Amino acid sequence: MALCVGCGSRTLSESTEPEITRATGESEQISKRERQVPRGDGRLSHDLDPQRPGPQDACGVFGVWAPGEEVAKLTYFGLYALQHRGQEAAGIAVSDGSGVVVYKDLGLVAQVFDEPTLASLRGHLAIGHTRYSTTGGSTWENAQPTIRANTAGTTIALAHNGNLVNTAELARDAIERGMDSDGSTSDTALVTTLLASRPDLSVEAAALEVLPTLRGAFSFVFMDETTLYAARDPHGVRPLVLGRLERGWVVASETAALDIVGASVVREVEPGELIAIDEHGLRSARFAAPEPKGCLFEYVYIARPDTTIAGRNIHAARVGIGRRLAREHPVEADLVIPVPESGTPAAIGYAEESGITYGAGLMKNPYVGRTFIQPSQTLRQLGIRLKLNPLRENVRGKRVVVVDDSIVRGNTQRAIVRMLREAGALEVHVRISSPPVNWPCFYGIDFATRAELLANGLDNEGIRRSIGSDSLGYVSLAGLIAATEQPKTRLCRACFDGEYPIELPAGNLIGKHVLEGVDRRVAGAGAEEVASAGATRGPGGQPFVSSSSGGEVSSHA
């Protein structure tokens, strides 16, 4: 079920029985792939129904160059620390200087890797990825790292967090260069192909040529047989940090992953920067001028609370958001409770600022996640109770303030309000630690389509009535930005205000499934023929894909 991709004769132990493919210009099938068995992704989603999820996380990437260390195990633990960023698939690529091997599969990090597998992945540098699908469906072929060998014999493996918005344009370029897609339909595989399409250049030189042609959000870690690379888009939408080991270097999506492997934080990879690490040390090059636009939603929900972004600890930022929420939307109440776990820091801040007692009111089952088993109608009626259950003794007879991170479709908040009332709460006041989500994200987070966003078409009072609470308050956009301690001009706020900092293509040349069949469309077809009339536009004429455009807007993996 896993994939081993090798250059030369290196393979995993036969006991793993993976599909083995050699990374050449034309991939050679060595053995038939075993039948895939779907399994749950383990994610504690906002909704019970896996067909109607809440906001999905971005992906997690990790890379290490450390001769003498067990780099596969370091990568495994780094990915384990980043599991919250993606739960659909995981993979690790390793090189010992003579060949690159990739092992990947659908599932959680702990499901994909075991001790014998990690022991077989030997080398001095490695990269890893934990995926939530964005461009390209959640299939085995689209798991990462992706891999490609050029005609000069150099193998390139790459992992990506973010989402490109000029994918169709890049696909046409790859086709014109005579490069096949290797069966995958992700923008990550496309970038790997473009890097391999320049065999006359070193990987570093090819990257400096390819990276300026990419539009969208990307934090890459990639490698060849001898060198670890890291690159971040000119806007720095997705986080990427550099760390130091006693005998090497680490790059990761979040500082928490550096902590787990014992690496000290050096600095963030700068927007528009390419880093290369090999036996000669670390070197840096600029492929674009920086125009920082870090994702504001990282501060609200995506990043781990023990991570630091742009010098700001995420837990402290979320507590600060809660304090501002209390000042902006005070209420007379007896108890402040969080929706665990994402609402906890903001609830602490709200309680501290308001002077209202903080306590537990909802208990979460940590083992309930999305599965491939569809809930029956009876379970649908139970709704969120499979994940959350009220502490009746704590909420009975009390006026309760319940704090959550966001409202997308409203299903979760509606169910929570109903549960608390049934448990005996006298009043239920909902407070949200982000502004209304009005617009889809094209840069690395998977929200619903705009037609499904509750805040699209309803004012605050309409949303309050929809979820059934006694009152409703969102933190203001200005308050949220202030809590990050970053200037407004350095943050991407598109999901809240519709101002997309990176220009989006018109028509349906964007979205999760843009590459699935694009090779059939682009042969002899211009953008006008490929685009459909299903796209509409947001503020300033920026387009977004509506629910009728053929696929949900999605984030990266």
Side-chain angles (χ1 to χ4, degrees), residues 362 384-385 388-390 415-423:
L362 295 165
I384 203 70
R385 286 184 185 273
L388 295 171
N389 202 39
I416 287 172
V417 170
R418 183 172 61 250
M419 281 194 301
L420 291 172
R421 291 198 190 283
E422 291 172 355

Side-chain angles (χ1 to χ4, degrees), residues 26-72:
E26 299 293 332
S27 295
E28 176 189 357
Q29 288 291 88
I30 304 299
S31 64
K32 185 177 181 179
R33 186 189 320 156
E34 297 175 16
R35 181 175 63 86
Q36 292 297 301
V37 179
R39 57 191 176 200
D41 62 9
R43 166 167 214 288
L44 295 177
S45 64
H46 280 279
D47 303 305
L48 174 65
D49 186 352
Q51 301 305 315
R52 301 183 63 82
Q56 304 295 301
D57 301 352
C59 296
V61 297
F62 187 90
V64 56
W65 188 93
E69 300 285 355
E70 294 183 277
V71 293

Side-chain angles (χ1 to χ4, degrees), residues 22 42 78 84 100 146 176 217 229 272 292 297 343 392 397 414 473 531:
R22 298 195 186 281
H84 62 288
V100 176
T146 56
E176 289 170 1
Y229 304 92
F297 208 71
R392 297 177 184 274
R414 195 174 297 115

Side-chain angles (χ1 to χ4, degrees), residues 170-310:
L170 296 170
R172 285 193 293 269
D173 182 27
I175 291 171
E176 289 170 1
R177 289 176 171 271
M179 302 294 288
D180 65 82
S181 66
D182 268 359
S184 59
T185 56
S186 72
D187 52 357
T188 309
L190 182 56
V191 174
T192 313
T193 296
L194 291 172
L195 290 172
S197 70
R198 292 156 170 82
D200 53 322
L201 301 176
S202 67
V203 173
E204 192 170 344
L208 290 172
E209 193 173 283
V210 170
L211 292 173
T213 70
L214 309 180
R215 293 203 314 275
F218 58 85
S219 286
F220 292 141
V221 293
F222 56 110
M223 62 185 285
D224 56 25
E225 285 82 357
T226 61
T227 308
L228 173 67
Y229 304 92
R232 198 173 177 202
D233 71 83
H235 298 279
V237 177
R238 298 284 142 228
L240 192 64
V241 291
L242 174 69
R244 193 75 164 97
L245 292 168
E246 183 178 351
R247 294 191 289 179
W249 298 86
V250 178
V251 288
S253 293
E254 297 187 27
T255 60
L258 302 186
D259 297 336
I260 296 299
V261 300
S264 58
V265 178
V266 176
R267 62 176 176 86
E268 293 191 353
V269 177
E270 295 294 323
E273 181 183 22
L274 170 67
I275 286 176
I277 301 168
D278 60 16
E279 61 183 349
H280 303 295
L282 182 147
R283 54 190 179 276
S284 170
R286 287 278 181 186
F287 63 87
E291 301 177 56
K293 293 288 183 182
C295 173
L296 185 53
F297 208 71
E298 291 274 356
Y299 293 88
V300 173
Y301 175 75
I302 298 176
R304 279 175 52 145
D306 52 342
T307 280
T308 297
I309 296 178

Side-chain angles (χ1 to χ4, degrees), residues 337-386:
I337 66 172
V339 176
E341 302 290 336
S342 57
T344 300
I348 292 171
Y350 193 100
E352 289 176 350
E353 185 68 21
S354 66
I356 302 171
T357 300
Y358 172 87
L362 295 165
M363 293 303 295
K364 183 173 77 172
N365 182 343
Y367 300 103
V368 175
R370 287 172 57 202
T371 74
F372 287 88
I373 299 174
Q374 299 300 310
S376 66
Q377 182 58 35
T378 300
L379 291 181
R380 287 179 191 275
Q381 291 172 353
L382 289 176
I384 203 70
R385 286 184 185 273
L386 289 183

